Amino acid sequence: KGDKLMSIPERELWRRWQQDAFDRVTTRIADPRPVDIKIAVAPASGKTFFGLLLGAYLMRELKLIDTIYVVCPTRAIRDQWIDAARKMGLTLAGVPDEVSRQSAERLFSNDKHGLVLTYSAVSHLYEVLRVRTGRERMLVIFDEFHHLADDAMWGEHAERAFEMAPYRLFESGTAFRTDGKRFPFGLNRNGAIEFDYEYYYGRAVRDEYCRETTFKFFDADLDWLETDTIEVGERVAVSGMLQAPTPWETMAYRLVRFS
């Protein structure tokens, strides 16, 4: 399967932070395994590309791994990883959340470069994954790892499944938990996480990789109405602006009219 992997994209196509992060984290590849790489990068600034880039480098250039596993929060994000990997010449198979163990085994074929699973799927298959992790050379990418807590099911099962993985990449745009719980794999065993690379929203906006977020405030007088329909073409005033509401076939809820 390594022969099917396309060449790694030229550095000129990488974003500046991806070049900086790549140079920094690849110096740690020779560390005693397991190698845990932790990056905090603003949402929508290119974490997916970076993760696949690192995986392709470990697989094609250094030949240190044979497979890539990506673990993410939702099925929609899972599909995004699969599509992004395809554009880089990587074939990653998506694992359904409720797949049986027998069906999962068929996904571990040599014609693929790896798998993409949700955290829910990992909880469902962690025993199977633990066996495979013990006998495969792999990079595991934990996308938005802030969803994991060491004393919750997703965190416990993720650690059980992948604690023997030789290389692990932890990525998040919001790398904290408001409930104060610790992350698995001892990421914040001594308090705050020590990141290998940080690239936050302010820099991403200045570099024009992310758009600036603005919050607009509206004032209005509210009247509660009880009705089951809205007339087509009825106009509702919102903060001095008139706009036509979407027609509804029926409405069983309370409606608010702005005036």
Side-chain angles (χ1 to χ4, degrees), residues 38-154:
K38 296 148 287 185
I39 67 171
V41 178
S45 58
K47 295 190 299 297
T48 300
F49 179 87
F50 179 81
L52 295 171
L53 183 67
L54 182 62
Y57 176 73
L58 292 174
M59 181 179 289
R60 184 179 180 87
E61 302 297 329
L62 300 185
K63 302 187 186 308
L64 291 175
I65 63 171
D66 301 311
T67 190
I68 301 169
Y69 283 16
V70 180
V71 193
C72 57
T74 69
R75 287 171 290 184
I77 297 176
R78 176 194 65 195
D79 295 342
Q80 291 172 10
W81 274 92
I82 294 171
D83 183 60
R86 188 182 301 113
K87 296 176 181 176
M88 198 178 288
L90 289 164
T91 302
L92 302 182
V95 179
D97 285 358
E98 301 300 328
V99 67
S100 67
R101 296 183 181 182
Q102 292 77 11
S103 298
E105 288 290 346
R106 291 195 291 270
L107 295 171
F108 301 115
S109 60
N110 291 327
D111 63 340
K112 301 180 181 65
H113 296 107
L115 302 175
V116 188
L117 314 88
T118 64
Y119 289 117
S120 177
V122 170
S123 285
H124 190 60
L125 297 170
Y126 72 94
E127 293 177 345
V128 175
L129 294 169
R130 180 177 177 83
V131 172
R132 300 201 66 87
T133 303
R135 65 187 188 212
E136 292 186 0
R137 303 188 308 164
M138 68 171 63
L139 166 70
V140 183
I141 302 172
F142 294 91
D143 186 25
E144 306 298 355
F145 70 87
H146 58 269
H147 287 271
L148 302 177
D150 65 356
D151 62 348
M153 182 175 67
W154 281 7

Side-chain angles (χ1 to χ4, degrees), residues 21 24-40 50 54 58 133 138-142 145 148 158-159 162-171 183-189 193-197:
R24 186 175 302 181
V25 303
T26 50
T27 61
R28 295 201 47 222
I29 299 303
D31 288 356
R33 294 181 292 178
V35 177
D36 285 335
I37 297 170
K38 296 148 287 185
I39 67 171
F50 179 81
L54 182 62
L58 292 174
T133 303
M138 68 171 63
L139 166 70
V140 183
I141 302 172
F142 294 91
F145 70 87
L148 302 177
E159 186 165 18
F162 298 118
E163 64 181 339
M164 292 183 287
Y167 302 99
R168 295 187 290 249
L169 170 64
F170 298 89
E171 299 184 315
F183 295 109
F185 302 99
L187 295 180
N188 56 343
R189 182 182 297 110
I193 298 176
E194 296 182 5
F195 290 103
D196 295 280
Y197 191 81

Side-chain angles (χ1 to χ4, degrees), residues 9-27:
E10 298 293 331
R11 285 182 70 100
E12 289 76 13
L13 300 176
W14 307 3
R15 292 178 173 178
R16 286 191 295 273
W17 79 261
Q18 292 165 342
Q19 297 180 33
D20 294 341
F22 183 85
D23 293 339
R24 186 175 302 181
V25 303
T26 50
T27 61

